[in-house]
Amino acid sequence: MLLQIIINGLLKGGLYALMAMGMSLIWGVMDIINIAHGSFIMLGAFATYWLFTLLGVDPFLSLLPSIAMLFILGYIVQRYLINLIIRSSAFITLVLTFGIEIFINNLAQVLWSADVRMVQVPYGAANFSIGTVATVPIVRLMAFLLVIVISLILFYILNRTTLGRSIRATSQDLDAARLTGVDVPRTYAVTFGLGVGAAGAAGTLWSILFPITPMMGGILTLKSFVVVIIGGLGSMLGPLIGGLILGLTEAMGTNLLGATYENLIGFTILVLVLIIRPKGILGGTD
Amino acid sequence: MGNYRLKNYLICSLILLGMMLFPLFNNNFVIRFGTDILMFAIMASAWNIIGGYTGYASFGNVVFFGIGAYVTAILMEKAGLNFAVAFVLSGFGAALFAILIGLPVLRLRGHYFAIATLGVAEAMKALVQNLELTEGNSGIYLPMLDLSVKSQYYFFFYMMLGTLVVTLLVTYLILKAKFGYSLIAIREDEDAANSVGINTTYAKTMAFALSGFFTGLAGSIYAYQQAFIKPGPVFTVGTTVKMIVMAVFGGIGQLFGPLLGAFCIEIISEVLSNYFLAIHTLFFGAVVILAIVFTPKGMIDIASQKKFGLAYFLQNIRENRV
């Protein structure tokens, strides 16, 4: 029983980690808290849903088109909208992304109605058992492994490529980066695209495991915050650890208190971590 | 100088007189719309105290609105108190909550404060949804106001108007006093404010409490007006966004900015929802985006600039883009 709860928690936590990675990247590099993050996750989920429903594309295969679409969308939104006010006070950008969230969510609701939808793959129910104590659903395990693969790719881009070097340089010192020839507006837009692309990937995986609606984004944004705050900004490891912690705590907490307490648990952790250890438990360099 | 001041007082009195006479010349529907504008004007003005003057952009001010509404509902329905008592206690309840939550949360700055307040509001919503006392998601009914329909509309309009006037008057008096200068000093440079001997913890906690107090009063009137409240709509983060956008649109850190913003944004929303019923929330998102991109300093700043129209917007964008 306990093992099953831990497995469920960890598998869901992996998804939380991926959601938070994109948010953490954008926050760390540009100092923007993207409230619309959950809406981008929702768009990724619906991209997968429509590719699956209309064209019969396997949801795991739709990962690539979903990431590509969301990357382009993120690039455009940053370059031509957020960039216009990026140097005004921090909370102005926060309100702007709130506006983007309202816009995207309601557009999705007008286009696709508020119905709850599912991506039902034929192999959705497959699972294997660990002894007699626990079962592991195959799709969840695959999603978890994909999260790890995507994190490694993101890690590689950030740490081993020229693009990654210019992103890190811009994040450390904007003016110095500009002086050494980094195209700052482009770097910002690409970073935002990468973060939103990661959100798209998270959305694709989410749609395979859970029901989706146009309004699902808000709570996912808040969960991404919780994860970023728990793990702390400034490293790729932060969101990963934060995600697993949130997944585990939620699984244990809802088991003890009941499913209606899931959100209360998350937000209580958020506020407590912020008060006790605002830089996250890894204590990243902000 | 004396002349200038006299002129200002005269303009304010005329506007106030106009608002007081407003219900006499309008039907119930329009009075109700005016009441909504006033409610948002109270909340945006209250947000201005902590977000505008003190520089702590709270993203959870709706929590005070919700607490005000629920304190009123519980005191009237479960404890059988009358509205006057419940109204005052709602304000103090919200202020007390602001102090308790503010002491730890106001130690955070910038994004972290914003997220923490957002988290507090969401946690409170989740708590109210689960508590027995608040009857969870099924909501609470309040006793009805025992007046004729027309008088009810008048009652709530003047309650909101009176609360707004008190909110603005208190803000005005604060700005004239040493306390107001402390708040602005905190906004400009908190460490410097601390080092010249301002008790910043006290000042910002009090600012947060005042902001909570008036927002709680608005929540109290709202609950009585609705006669039925539920956690979802009362604690919605959309209300926080609305008050911030109104404050930004009118002018942050300006006494009458939020009032102007509330007036403009509510009218825009109303027109949009009349013409595009199904998709008016979509347009509200667009209004937020446009308001932020084009008027990050507010309408009052536009009015005081020499540049107008496109030139002003382009200058703003040039200043703020990378």
Side-chain angles (χ1 to χ4, degrees), chain B residues 85-109:
Chain B
V85 180
F87 176 65
V88 175
L89 287 180
S90 296
F92 282 106
L96 184 68
F97 183 76
I99 292 172
L100 291 178
I101 207 72
L103 281 172
V105 166
L106 282 164
R107 283 169 33 206
L108 304 165
R109 291 186 190 176

Side-chain angles (χ1 to χ4, degrees), chain B residues 254-289:
Chain B
Q254 306 272 1
L255 185 59
F256 293 107
L259 173 59
L260 182 66
F263 186 75
C264 297
I265 297 277
E266 271 299 282
I267 290 197
I268 294 171
S269 308
E270 183 64 23
V271 170
L272 288 179
S273 62
N274 274 347
Y275 284 96
F276 311 97
L277 188 61
I279 47 174
H280 73 277
T281 41
L282 182 72
F283 279 95
F284 181 67
V287 169
V288 172
I289 295 171

